[in-house]
Amino acid sequence: QVQLVESGGGSVQAGGSLRLSCAASKFTYNTNPCMGWFRQAPGKEREGVAAICQGGGRTYFSDSVKGRFTISQDNAKNTVFLQMNSLKPEDTAMYYCAAGRIPTHLTPALQAEFFAHWGQGTQVTVSS
């Protein structure tokens, strides 16, 4: 059964931190080599934020979060984390976890079409 459940969202002031978690079913985690995070703010298109593939061998970040966000995974718990530091009001969005496969020869890597499975999302609100 494919299942992705996000948690950890909330409200924080600018400059603060949050850590998002995405708990995947064992089936999902074992059959999808890449796990990613996307976000969508009201009135804006969905944006790829970060992804991790093959046990951390490949990681990807959007330019907007590079240096502030990190992505990691706990294979024993089938869970992926997004650590968000130095948050800005423009980081406010619904954050979605996704599972899929990023081809190594295609760019950009953070494309929604590479991810077949999606969670319900968790809201992140950053106030100034």
Side-chain angles (χ1 to χ4, degrees):
Q1 180 181 1
V2 176
Q3 185 176 22
L4 297 167
V5 180
E6 304 96 334
S7 62
S11 297
V12 65
Q13 289 190 329
S17 298
L18 284 173
R19 188 173 84 152
L20 305 184
S21 300
C22 174
S25 64
K26 185 175 181 179
F27 173 79
T28 302
Y29 202 79
N30 290 341
T31 56
N32 291 274
C34 298
M35 301 289 290
W37 288 94
F38 289 74
R39 67 186 182 187
Q40 188 166 19
K44 295 188 176 181
E45 293 186 355
R46 182 169 45 185
E47 172 191 15
V49 175
I52 186 167
C53 300
Q54 299 173 345
R58 289 186 287 152
T59 57
Y60 305 92
F61 296 93
S62 67
D63 289 342
S64 61
V65 307
K66 201 171 294 182
R68 300 188 297 121
F69 291 11
T70 58
I71 189 168
S72 60
Q73 60 191 153
D74 184 336
N75 292 328
K77 297 182 178 179
N78 303 330
T79 300
V80 175
F81 305 99
L82 183 69
Q83 178 66 44
M84 307 186 295
N85 299 327
S86 302
L87 283 162
K88 304 175 181 180
E90 50 263 44
D91 294 318
T92 295
M94 184 70 78
Y95 282 70
Y96 298 91
C97 176
R101 182 182 302 271
I102 300 174
T104 55
H105 63 286
L106 294 178
T107 58
L110 294 172
Q111 298 187 52
E113 65 186 74
F114 295 151
F115 294 84
H117 310 290
W118 295 80
Q120 293 300 307
T122 185
Q123 177 68 36
V124 171
T125 303
V126 184
S127 59
S128 58

